[in-house]
Amino acid sequence: MLRALVLLFALTLALPAHAEGFLTRLLNKPVPGGVAVIDLGSAASAPSVRYEGKPVLVLREDGTRWIAIVGIPLSVKPGEQTLDVGGHTMVFRVSPRTYREQRITLKNQRQVDPNPEDLKRIERELAEQNQAYRQFSPRQPSNLLFDKPVEGPLSSPFGLRRFFNGQERNPHSGLDFAVPAGTPIKTPAAGKVILTGDYFFNGKTVFVDHGQGLISMFCHLSKVEVQVGDELERGAVLGRVGSTGRATGPHLHWNVSLNDSRVDPAIFIGAYKP
C-alpha cells in the first residue's frame, strides 16, 4: 500500500500543472515565423491581448482556460518577448530557427528590378494587401487544424531566404504546392473573402478572413471564383492554380497571417518540421 502511494505521488510530481490541450500541442511553435500559445488562465471572460501593439487571437481551450495564439514575425530575434494582457505584461520566449536559402532565375528582369511605374503600382498594391492582413474581425475561427488547400507536394517551404537572379529579396512568407494549372483551391477553414485582386508580384489573389486576425492568402491563381463578401465553408473552391505574377510555373502560394505576422502555414496542417 505504501509503495503504491509513493508511486502515485511520484507520478503526480511528474505531471504538469495541467495537461496541454490539443491546440497548444498543434500550434505552439515559438520561433521566428512561428506561433506561441500562451496560457491566460480561467477568467470568466476573454482577456484582451496585444502583441507589438496589435490585437491577438484569444479563445478557450478544452472549455477550461483561455489561451492567446500569437503570430511571431520572421524578423523577431530569439529571446524574451512581451504581451500586453489587460494592461499587464506577460513574457514568453522565442527559440532560434534557421531557414535555408532558395535561388530562383526569372526571365522577366522587371520582376527583379521593377521600373518606376511598376514601383508605383507595387506600393499601391502593397498598401491594399497590408490593410487586409491587419483586419481583426470578432468572429471566432471555426477550426485551427486546417485542411490543405490543394493535395500535392510542397515545392518551397516557409521562411526560405530567397535570391532572384542573384539578388536577395524578402524571405518566402508562405508554402508553395507544386500542382498543375487549373487545380481547384479549397478553403482550408471557413471564412469570409475580404480582398481579391491581380497584383504585380502575387498575380491573381484571394484573401480569406477566418476570424480574429487569422488570415489566409492564396496567390498566382489562374482564375478567381469568389467575390469580396462571400462567406466560404470549409472546402469551398475559391479559385484555380496558375502562374500569374512573379512565378516560374504553375503552383499555389499560401500565406497564413496572425496578428499581421506571416507565419508558417505548415503549423496549421500538422506538417511543421523544426
Side-chain angles (χ1 to χ4, degrees):
M1 179 67 177
L2 178 60
R3 181 180 179 185
L5 287 172
V6 169
L7 179 59
L8 179 61
F9 180 67
L11 288 172
T12 301
L13 290 178
L15 289 172
H18 55 71
E20 287 187 343
F22 170 75
L23 290 178
T24 298
R25 295 193 302 272
L26 173 71
L27 301 176
N28 191 40
K29 309 291 186 289
V31 297
V35 174
V37 179
I38 312 297
D39 188 344
L40 302 174
S42 54
S45 59
S48 174
V49 180
R50 301 184 78 86
Y51 174 57
E52 296 188 332
K54 297 173 183 177
V56 167
L57 169 60
V58 173
L59 49 75
R60 268 199 196 278
E61 183 170 42
D62 298 337
T64 56
R65 60 187 178 273
W66 297 102
I67 55 173
I69 301 174
V70 185
I72 305 169
L74 265 169
S75 58
V76 163
K77 302 298 183 186
E80 287 190 350
Q81 294 287 304
T82 58
L83 290 180
D84 181 299
V85 182
H88 301 281
T89 297
M90 288 188 70
V91 176
F92 67 96
R93 178 165 290 277
V94 175
S95 301
R97 185 184 183 190
T98 301
Y99 293 97
R100 296 186 290 108
E101 293 184 3
Q102 181 185 43
R103 297 182 179 270
I104 300 170
T105 300
L106 295 173
K107 294 180 180 179
N108 183 356
Q109 188 63 28
R110 279 175 59 191
Q111 295 284 357
V112 182
D113 295 307
N115 64 36
E117 286 302 311
D118 293 334
L119 290 172
K120 290 179 182 178
R121 176 186 171 187
I122 291 164
E123 184 177 357
R124 183 177 67 252
E125 293 176 350
L126 183 61
E128 188 175 272
Q129 293 175 82
N130 282 340
Q131 185 177 6
Y133 280 126
R134 291 173 185 143
Q135 290 198 30
F136 192 87
S137 62
R139 70 191 295 155
Q140 185 85 17
S142 65
N143 202 309
L144 292 176
L145 176 58
F146 284 179
D147 293 332
K148 292 180 181 178
V150 294
E151 288 297 333
L154 296 178
S155 54
S156 294
F158 175 88
L160 289 172
R161 291 180 58 206
R162 295 186 303 171
F163 295 79
F164 290 96
N165 296 3
Q167 300 182 40
E168 186 168 11
R169 293 296 185 261
N170 290 333
H172 193 230
S173 60
L175 280 183
D176 285 356
F177 292 84
V179 289
T183 301
I185 302 164
K186 297 180 180 180
T187 311
K192 181 179 180 179
V193 179
I194 55 173
L195 181 65
T196 66
D198 191 350
Y199 300 116
F200 185 85
F201 287 130
N202 288 352
K204 294 180 180 178
T205 300
V206 175
F207 281 74
V208 176
D209 174 14
H210 303 291
Q212 293 195 50
L214 179 58
I215 310 288
S216 280
M217 187 276 281
F218 312 86
C219 67
H220 305 310
L221 278 59
S222 61
K223 185 179 181 182
V224 172
E225 298 184 0
V226 291
Q227 297 180 345
V228 171
D230 286 353
E231 291 283 352
L232 305 180
E233 296 181 355
R234 185 187 189 103
V237 174
L238 58 86
R240 307 281 167 166
V241 170
S243 56
T244 55
R246 185 165 67 184
T248 56
H251 70 282
L252 172 65
H253 175 96
W254 174 36
N255 271 15
V256 172
S257 185
L258 258 177
N259 48 268
D260 193 26
S261 299
R262 261 51 84 203
V263 297
D264 191 345
I267 295 170
F268 293 83
I269 56 175
Y272 176 82
K273 295 180 179 179

